[in-house]
Structure formats: structure tokens, C-alpha cells
Amino acid sequence: MRPFLHNKRHKAFTFALSFLLLVVSSCTSALNQVELPHQEQLVVSAVLTAGDTVRNIHVMRSASPSGAIDYAQQGLPDAKITLSLNGNPVAVRLQRTLPQVNTQGLNPDKRTFFEAPGVVVLSGQRYSITVEWSGKRITANTVIPSAPELVSYRIFDDFSSVPFQRTLQAVVRPASNTAYSVIGETIISSPRPSPFGNSSLSESAAIIRNSLTNTDTLHLRTFLNLGGQGDTVRYFGRVVAYDPAYTNYLESAQGGNTIVRWNVQGDGIGIFIGAALSERRLIPFP
């Protein structure tokens, strides 16, 4: 993954695409594990991020477990997409601009992405989507959460495990019925060339709390890349608030379960989720 730029819109976009790749990967993994013989399904993945426009709605058909995944050929440019905002219809079109970040070999083309140009995502909005193609139909809905209320960050070395783990901890004051996670970003300046690039991301499992007072805080942790000897390392952190349906998805996808809990209903699978980001912050260490 390339380093985040300091442009707010690009940061939200990079986060959204990282999420999309995670969902598509888990979609195909789940299908490979549990669907024999193969029954073709619709697959949708999208994260609608407060402050960004509605875009990167990824729609495709599932692949046979025994066949190679071709994201371009399995994209559905002729799918009928119906999107509504707070119950009112929103015009959707094929996305004209391709994602401009490293897609880790997935090579998506513009037929797989849809957008609602000019529609800016705001906290508190409710979005619903229906996808129809070849007699199949899926639906999903999401509410855009409020931006996380961040209290503090700190980085420390946790020596309770062997080997020790460099840990990013974020403290937030959470809203009720909202899921949260912390993302740690490591940017490494190294005298040695690396085939893996100079940036890495890590994200904790989302956590949900329903009955909190205004004085309660939530402590979120994720692990960071240590770098190597002679490297110059910088750490960044940000907290993400999600529609609570994301908790079920992420915990099931990361737990190695054969059944992933999606929030899409009907003739398919996937995640259509609202999110809001805190500001990306440089965190000194030590």
C-alpha cells in the first residue's frame, strides 16, 4: 500500500479502497470454503465515508471455487443499481475514474465500480442499495456514524508476548450503538530496497458498546511494524467509527470462520457500510 498523502479526500479514498480489497478477499475466500458445487451469487462491497463522495461501490458476480478470479470479467457493468439517501432516490453511474492506488494484483477495471457524483456523505444519513442482475437481487442499508471523539494515542512496547510487540493504543469516547477500530500506519525509510514497499497498515478488530455514559472511554489497540536495523520509522494513527454491522463482519472474517456475517441480504454476499474517520495523526515514539 502506498503511503497516505496529506490530502483529506485522498486519505478517505485510500482507507475506502483498503477496506474494499479486504472485503473482496474475504468474499472469495468464503466462497472457496463453503460453496461446492458453485452457485453464482452477486457480491457488493462499499464503504461510504463521511466527508467523501459516494463512490467505489464494487459490484461483481462470484467466481467458481475451482476457477481463477478475473475481477474485470466478473464485473457487472449492466447491473441495475438503485441507491437511496434518507429514502430519496440518488442517481448512480459507472465510475469514470479508476482507483489510483496499488490494488495488490486485483487489477479492477471501471466496470466493477459505481458512483453517485456530487453526493457528499454526511454523518446521520441513511443509505440503502439494491443490486439486480440476471434475475438475482440483493439489498443492504447503512447509517453513517459520527466522527470518533479521540481522547489520546500512545505507542508502547508490550513485553508480555514473545517476541515483544510494538502496540498502538487509542482512547476514544464512544457513542452508543457504534463500532470502532484503530488503524496503525508504519512508514519506513530504509537504506535497503524492499519488494514490499515502505508502508504498512494494521487494523484492530472492531468493538461495539451499546450502553455507555459520557464519561466512559474505550481503549483500542493494534500492532505496529518495527522496521529493521538502520531504518527510520514513523508511526501514524487514526480511529474509525462504523455502522455496528461492521463488527459482525470483521470478527467473523478475521476469526477464520467458514461463515462470514455480511450485511447484504438476498441472492448474494458482501458489505455495504458507513464509516467516519478521525484525523490522521503522527505519533512520536519513543
Side-chain angles (χ1 to χ4, degrees):
M1 184 67 65
R2 295 177 184 171
F4 286 4
L5 301 180
H6 288 274
N7 177 276
K8 181 177 180 181
R9 187 162 182 172
H10 180 89
K11 290 186 294 183
F13 173 65
T14 306
F15 158 76
L17 186 64
S18 301
F19 173 93
L20 183 150
L21 296 177
L22 173 66
V23 173
V24 171
S25 174
S26 59
C27 283
T28 55
S29 175
L31 287 171
N32 287 345
Q33 292 174 13
V34 301
E35 293 214 4
L36 290 172
H38 174 59
Q39 179 181 359
E40 187 174 71
Q41 292 184 294
L42 302 181
V43 181
V44 63
S45 53
V47 55
L48 306 183
T49 307
D52 199 4
T53 56
V54 175
R55 54 180 172 164
N56 300 328
I57 299 173
H58 185 269
V59 177
M60 60 182 290
R61 56 190 173 89
S62 61
S64 169
S66 58
I69 299 170
D70 186 329
Y71 291 87
Q73 293 302 315
Q74 287 159 221
L76 301 177
D78 56 343
K80 179 183 177 182
I81 311 295
T82 304
L83 185 70
S84 66
L85 164 56
N86 294 333
N88 300 311
V90 174
V92 177
R93 71 182 184 193
L94 286 169
Q95 192 158 312
R96 297 178 179 178
T97 304
L98 299 182
Q100 297 297 315
V101 298
N102 181 2
T103 52
Q104 302 175 5
L106 295 184
N107 191 30
D109 76 4
K110 62 186 175 182
R111 301 182 308 161
T112 67
F113 293 94
F114 292 82
E115 64 180 352
V119 179
V120 178
V121 181
L122 301 174
S123 295
Q125 293 176 332
R126 181 181 181 87
Y127 286 87
S128 299
I129 191 170
T130 300
V131 179
E132 297 172 279
W133 181 80
S134 189
K136 298 178 175 61
R137 183 176 186 270
I138 57 176
T139 62
N141 61 77
T142 190
V143 176
I144 312 302
S146 298
E149 184 180 347
L150 179 66
V151 177
S152 65
Y153 285 115
R154 75 181 180 108
I155 297 175
F156 62 95
D157 288 337
D158 183 358
F159 293 99
S160 63
S161 60
V162 179
F164 77 90
Q165 294 177 307
R166 186 151 297 165
T167 303
L168 168 64
Q169 177 177 279
V171 180
V172 297
R173 187 164 288 112
S176 63
N177 201 35
T178 304
Y180 293 89
S181 72
V182 61
I183 294 177
E185 180 189 2
T186 305
I187 295 182
I188 300 172
S189 298
S190 176
R192 305 172 303 279
S194 170
F196 304 106
N198 66 345
S199 181
S200 61
L201 295 176
S202 60
E203 180 176 5
S204 72
I207 300 174
I208 186 170
R209 297 290 185 268
N210 287 300
S211 301
L212 295 170
T213 70
N214 291 335
T215 61
D216 287 336
T217 56
L218 190 62
H219 293 234
L220 304 164
R221 292 183 179 183
T222 191
F223 302 121
L224 299 170
N225 189 334
L226 295 173
Q229 186 174 7
D231 291 346
T232 300
V233 182
R234 291 187 300 158
Y235 296 116
F236 295 81
R238 72 187 319 163
V239 174
V240 189
Y242 293 101
D243 179 314
Y246 184 62
T247 307
N248 295 331
Y249 159 71
L250 191 62
E251 289 181 346
S252 62
Q254 292 185 338
N257 298 321
T258 57
I259 305 238
V260 177
R261 299 173 65 183
W262 315 101
N263 76 329
V264 166
Q265 298 179 340
D267 304 313
I269 59 175
I271 283 287
F272 179 77
I273 210 77
L277 306 177
S278 69
E279 288 297 317
R280 174 178 179 265
R281 185 179 298 181
L282 174 66
I283 307 171
F285 181 84

